[in-house]
């Protein structure tokens, strides 16, 4: 089925370094959502992007939606230990009355 | 304002048994979805319930069934358990009216099949 591909699968960074995860789709997306899952926790909604070329910021997090609406990225500036976890992008297959398709996630590991 | 609550939090079953997992959606939400998350993987959509009916289903066999009650709570049933059913089962709720499609997840039920 239609999937979203996330890279990298794992990312080790030193605390204070920046981090970026990328999400790619072979088809045009109506929107893209990002979730964060802490170790042992459950996914928590971060943001939804809808418009082509959209950029949204949440403190140290910057989310982008590509011009062609086929890719998205999440960038974290100056990582902190609280950023540890897995970041998932997710898309809806159809018109809303359906389930989210999640990527496999990028596991962020921070070394103090 | 209670979020999504799931029970039980952990359970252990043996192959061939049946299991029922329960979910109460966030206050004000009317739509419940269930996801299966294997270790190290992203959640996979099982099905969604709205107005007590299954509205959409992912690529899961008929051994997986569900129900939604008039108070919007939901159950997930899995029959004839297989070792591969071991996973974290996540319930997520949303409010369909107004086109809201942001999911609020519960803490999950971790199922181990021996």
């Amino acid at each position: 089925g239609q999937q979203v591909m996330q890279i990298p699968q794992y990312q080790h960074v030193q605390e204070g370094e920046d981090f970026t995860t990328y999400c790619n789709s072979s088809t045009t997306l109506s929107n893209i959502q990002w979730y964060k899952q802490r170790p042992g926790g459950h996914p928590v909604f971060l943001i939804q992007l809808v418009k082509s070329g959209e950029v949204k910021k949440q403190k140290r997090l910057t989310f982008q939606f590509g011009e062609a609406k086929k890719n998205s990225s999440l960038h974290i500036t100056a990582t902190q230990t609280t950023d540890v976890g897995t970041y998932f992008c997710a898309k809806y297959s159809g018109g809303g009355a359906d389930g989210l398709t999640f990527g496999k996630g990028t596991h962020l590991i921070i070394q103090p | 304002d209670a979020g999504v609550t799931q029970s039980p939090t952990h359970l252990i079953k043996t192959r061939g048994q049946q299991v029922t997992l329960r979910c109460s959606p966030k206050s004000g939400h009317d739509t419940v979805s269930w996801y299966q998350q294997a270790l190290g993987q992203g959640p996979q959509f099982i099905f969604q319930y709205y107005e007590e009916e299954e509205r959409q289903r992912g690529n899961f066999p008929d051994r997986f069934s569900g129900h939604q009650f008039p108070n919007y709570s939901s159950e997930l049933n899995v029959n004839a358990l297989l070792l591969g059913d071991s996973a974290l089962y996540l319930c997520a709720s949303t409010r369909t009216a107004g086109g809201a499609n942001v999911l609020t997840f519960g803490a999950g039920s971790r199922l181990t099949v021996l």
Side-chain angles (χ1 to χ4, degrees):
Chain A
Q2 299 172 345
Q3 301 201 10
V4 284
M5 306 301 294
Q6 273 189 263
I7 55 171
Q9 186 176 0
Y10 292 91
Q11 183 73 60
H12 292 77
V13 301
Q14 294 284 339
E15 187 176 8
E17 291 182 338
D18 292 357
F19 159 78
T20 305
T21 174
Y22 300 91
C23 181
N24 298 294
S25 171
S26 58
T27 58
T28 302
L29 302 169
S30 57
N31 61 58
I32 192 83
Q33 296 185 359
W34 286 90
Y35 289 78
K36 176 185 178 181
Q37 185 171 21
R38 294 181 183 273
H42 57 279
V44 175
F45 173 77
L46 293 176
I47 209 158
Q48 175 171 278
L49 304 173
V50 178
K51 298 177 182 177
S52 169
E54 189 170 16
V55 178
K56 288 188 175 180
K57 292 190 176 184
Q58 291 178 352
K59 297 183 180 178
R60 294 180 295 105
L61 278 60
T62 302
F63 302 85
Q64 292 189 319
F65 202 9
E67 293 289 341
K69 299 183 74 172
K70 288 186 175 183
N71 55 72
S72 181
S73 65
L74 159 59
H75 179 84
I76 302 178
T77 303
T79 55
Q80 300 175 359
T81 54
T82 54
D83 297 325
V84 164
T86 304
Y87 293 85
F88 294 99
C89 64
K91 70 177 185 78
Y92 278 100
S93 301
D98 55 8
L100 279 173
T101 298
F102 282 79
K104 291 189 175 182
T106 295
H107 304 266
L108 174 60
I109 299 108
I110 298 177
Q111 296 156 340
Chain B
D1 182 18
V4 179
T5 57
Q6 292 187 242
S7 63
T9 54
H10 296 80
L11 68 167
I12 300 173
K13 294 285 188 179
T14 56
R15 280 181 298 173
Q17 285 189 311
Q18 178 263 346
V19 68
T20 297
L21 308 178
R22 296 175 175 83
C23 172
S24 292
K26 181 178 178 179
S27 177
H29 287 186
D30 57 8
T31 304
V32 173
S33 301
W34 287 91
Y35 289 79
Q36 180 195 66
Q37 186 176 26
L39 199 60
Q41 301 294 315
Q44 284 196 295
F45 175 67
I46 302 175
F47 42 53
Q48 182 183 83
Y49 277 85
Y50 173 67
E51 293 187 335
E52 303 179 48
E53 291 190 356
E54 183 182 294
R55 190 155 71 164
Q56 204 204 22
R57 188 179 186 91
N59 189 24
F60 279 80
D62 292 344
R63 297 187 298 108
F64 290 77
S65 64
H67 190 77
Q68 186 180 34
F69 300 93
N71 66 353
Y72 308 120
S73 66
S74 177
E75 288 182 350
L76 164 65
N77 300 291
V78 187
N79 294 322
L81 285 167
L82 304 174
L83 296 179
D85 295 331
S86 295
L88 179 67
Y89 288 85
L90 294 161
C91 172
S93 72
T94 189
R95 187 172 63 90
T96 291
N101 59 3
V102 172
L103 298 181
T104 300
F105 282 87
S109 295
R110 184 163 297 282
L111 171 64
T112 302
V113 182
L114 302 177

